[in-house]
Amino acid sequence: MRRIAIFASGRGSNAVNIIKYFSCGDRGAAVALVICNNPKAEVTERCRSLGVHVEVLSRADINSPEVMCPLLEKHEVDLIVLAGFLQMLPPFLTGRFAGNIVNIHPSLLPRFGGKGMYGRHVHEAVVAAGESETGITVHLVNDKYDDGRILFQASVAVAPGDTAADVEHKVHLLEKAHFPRVIAATFCRGESSES
Ligand code: GAR
């Protein structure tokens, strides 16, 4: 059974969806805890109300091996899932969990990735560029922005006249449909993964 730590900073729709997906207990993983770097983020209460342990940590805490290593060991975490987490992971985490950190990005990487490209900013850039499609990318995480091996992509049409909010809604539906399933298929079926 894999033990997942979800890292999240925002509304938490992906975190909630992943918690619910694995809560049945027979999909090869369980969410052990949620780590949030924003005390005001909706994700904290949403996950607590599902009975999941939530830690709200400062940027400095997340960058500290003395804080993070005992915490992740205590919860026996062996898989990190970034679900709208807006802080670069420190090298001691990308090194220690190499091949076992997965992120979802709300575009078809390498399009609309990199520093500053997150959440609504991505969808605004997609609309401004006049793209006819966008999508999601699930990828392994290394120590560069949006750079690790791509595990899965799915696309959706951007209609003429779509706003960034319209695009965001379409992308969230793709995330909901695919992200937990891709985590299970990649990490919880006895398959090995490497960065
Ligand atoms: C999601 O759309 C996710 O793909 C995106 O943030 C949103 C978080 O929503 N991640 C990034 O932009 C990472 N660069 P949520 O908090 O409701 O899951």
Side-chain angles (χ1 to χ4, degrees), residues 107-108 110-113 117 120-134 158-164 167:
S107 75
L108 296 168
R111 307 274 293 148
F112 305 101
M117 277 292 174
R120 182 65 70 86
H121 298 291
V122 176
H123 310 306
E124 284 166 353
V126 164
V127 169
E131 297 289 300
S132 59
E133 68 166 11
T134 187
V158 179
D162 271 358
T163 64
V167 174

Side-chain angles (χ1 to χ4, degrees), residues 117-192:
M117 277 292 174
Y118 59 88
R120 182 65 70 86
H121 298 291
V122 176
H123 310 306
E124 284 166 353
V126 164
V127 169
E131 297 289 300
S132 59
E133 68 166 11
T134 187
I136 59 169
T137 302
V138 180
H139 65 94
L140 293 177
V141 172
N142 58 23
D143 53 7
K144 300 191 194 86
Y145 277 108
D146 303 329
D147 181 68
R149 179 159 68 83
I150 291 175
L151 301 171
F152 176 83
Q153 292 185 302
S155 60
V156 65
V158 179
D162 271 358
T163 64
D166 296 328
V167 174
E168 185 173 47
H169 178 67
K170 292 179 182 182
V171 166
H172 271 136
L173 292 178
L174 282 185
E175 293 179 339
K176 187 166 190 197
H178 296 292
F179 194 22
R181 189 184 58 70
V182 173
I183 294 168
T186 307
F187 298 100
C188 311
R189 299 274 186 267
E191 297 176 13
S192 64

Side-chain angles (χ1 to χ4, degrees), residues 7-193:
F7 286 50
S9 307
R11 271 180 307 185
S13 53
N14 281 284
V16 165
N17 190 34
I18 292 163
I19 290 166
K20 288 183 173 167
Y21 181 87
F22 286 106
S23 67
C24 63
D26 62 359
R27 288 185 163 137
V31 176
L33 85 159
V34 171
I35 292 174
C36 179
N37 60 348
N38 175 6
K40 295 190 180 134
E42 230 181 292
V43 64
T44 57
E45 277 320 305
R46 291 180 79 182
C47 294
R48 281 188 181 123
S49 74
L50 293 171
V52 176
H53 182 78
V54 176
E55 292 276 350
V56 179
L57 300 176
S58 67
R59 172 173 290 273
D61 285 341
I62 288 164
N63 285 332
S64 162
E66 290 74 25
V67 174
M68 293 301 285
C69 293
L71 177 65
L72 295 172
E73 276 164 23
K74 179 179 158 200
H75 291 275
E76 298 176 26
V77 169
D78 61 7
L79 177 59
I80 292 177
V81 174
L82 307 184
F85 186 64
L86 304 182
Q87 179 178 333
M88 189 91 175
L89 286 189
F92 76 86
L93 281 181
T94 53
R96 181 177 173 144
F97 287 88
N100 290 294
I101 311 178
V102 63
N103 180 47
I104 188 152
H105 186 79
S107 75
L108 296 168
L109 289 175
R111 307 274 293 148
F112 305 101
K115 192 166 166 48
M117 277 292 174
Y118 59 88
R120 182 65 70 86
H121 298 291
V122 176
H123 310 306
E124 284 166 353
V126 164
V127 169
E131 297 289 300
S132 59
E133 68 166 11
T134 187
I136 59 169
T137 302
V138 180
H139 65 94
L140 293 177
V141 172
N142 58 23
D143 53 7
K144 300 191 194 86
Y145 277 108
D146 303 329
D147 181 68
R149 179 159 68 83
I150 291 175
L151 301 171
F152 176 83
Q153 292 185 302
S155 60
V156 65
V158 179
D162 271 358
T163 64
D166 296 328
V167 174
E168 185 173 47
H169 178 67
K170 292 179 182 182
V171 166
H172 271 136
L173 292 178
L174 282 185
E175 293 179 339
K176 187 166 190 197
H178 296 292
F179 194 22
R181 189 184 58 70
V182 173
I183 294 168
T186 307
F187 298 100
C188 311
R189 299 274 186 267
E191 297 176 13
S192 64
S193 61

